[in-house]
Amino acid sequence: MLTLSLLRHAKSSWGNAGLQDIERPLNERGLEAAPRMGAFMAEQSIAPDVVMCSPAVRTRQTLDLVLPHLSPVPTIVYEDKFYLGSASTLLRAVRRLEGGIKHAMIVAHDPGLHQLAMELSGSGDSDLLQALAQKFPTAALAVIEFRGRSWTKVKPGAGSLVHLMTPKRLP
């Protein structure tokens, strides 16, 4: 079985008009939400072997706040194409993962991340699927499981959505 976790960056700041979009940092709400999502991941034993992350400041900061909760510490790969990458760009990267990797995580942006979660989630709890169809807010985490052993065979509709958590839903 293969597991793919999709984490949208936490809430970012629009406070400095002089920054390019890729340079926008997390705001106060994002700085609070990201470690809470990391704690949720630890509680649920969500432990990726590898994390592929957009190079944007807000995705890197989100990952930095989640990482202390992950054990063992995963391999981190920054993917330039993930900055505002489409669902198809993200899926191509997933399909290139090595066979020894059983759990991968992507930290990236909307709308590509949300579209990928929707495309891959062919089954799962109906309430989770309905919530995913509504929106994928900042710092949201979707965990999708696939039968099989090869990332090259991951295709639309083949995954089962097993977790969908947002900061607002955390206790």
Side-chain angles (χ1 to χ4, degrees):
M1 180 166 304
L2 302 174
T3 304
L4 179 64
S5 294
L6 304 175
L7 179 64
R8 184 176 174 197
H9 65 79
K11 191 77 171 167
S12 60
S13 173
W14 292 90
N16 186 341
L19 290 179
Q20 292 183 347
D21 181 71
I22 197 168
E23 298 170 337
R24 287 190 303 110
L26 296 182
N27 68 12
E28 196 172 312
R29 194 169 107 197
L31 291 169
E32 184 270 332
R36 291 180 62 222
M37 291 306 293
F40 168 79
M41 291 176 69
E43 290 167 11
Q44 298 297 316
S45 300
I46 298 170
D49 303 313
V50 65
V51 176
M52 298 178 290
C53 185
S54 159
V57 169
R58 60 192 177 272
T59 52
R60 293 171 74 105
Q61 285 182 315
T62 299
L63 179 58
D64 287 346
L65 293 167
V66 167
L67 276 176
H69 300 278
L70 302 182
S71 181
V73 175
T75 300
I76 311 298
V77 179
Y78 293 99
E79 297 276 355
D80 288 342
K81 292 180 181 179
F82 282 14
Y83 173 64
L84 305 179
S86 67
S88 61
T89 296
L90 302 174
L91 182 55
R92 277 192 299 275
V94 168
R95 288 180 174 156
R96 287 193 305 264
L97 288 168
E98 296 176 11
I101 296 169
K102 300 297 178 209
H103 186 164
M105 182 165 80
I106 295 175
V107 183
H109 312 266
D110 254 13
L113 203 61
H114 186 197
Q115 291 171 347
L116 181 63
M118 292 288 300
E119 286 177 19
L120 295 179
S121 299
S123 64
D125 179 271
S126 60
D127 290 339
L128 293 181
L129 290 167
Q130 186 173 20
L132 179 62
Q134 297 293 316
K135 63 180 181 176
F136 198 63
T138 53
L141 174 72
V143 180
I144 305 165
E145 291 181 346
F146 301 90
R147 295 184 189 269
R149 297 182 183 153
S150 174
W151 290 105
T152 61
K153 297 184 183 192
V154 168
K155 62 182 181 184
S160 177
L161 183 64
V162 295
H163 286 290
L164 179 63
M165 185 53 69
T166 66
K168 286 186 179 181
R169 292 184 55 222
L170 287 171

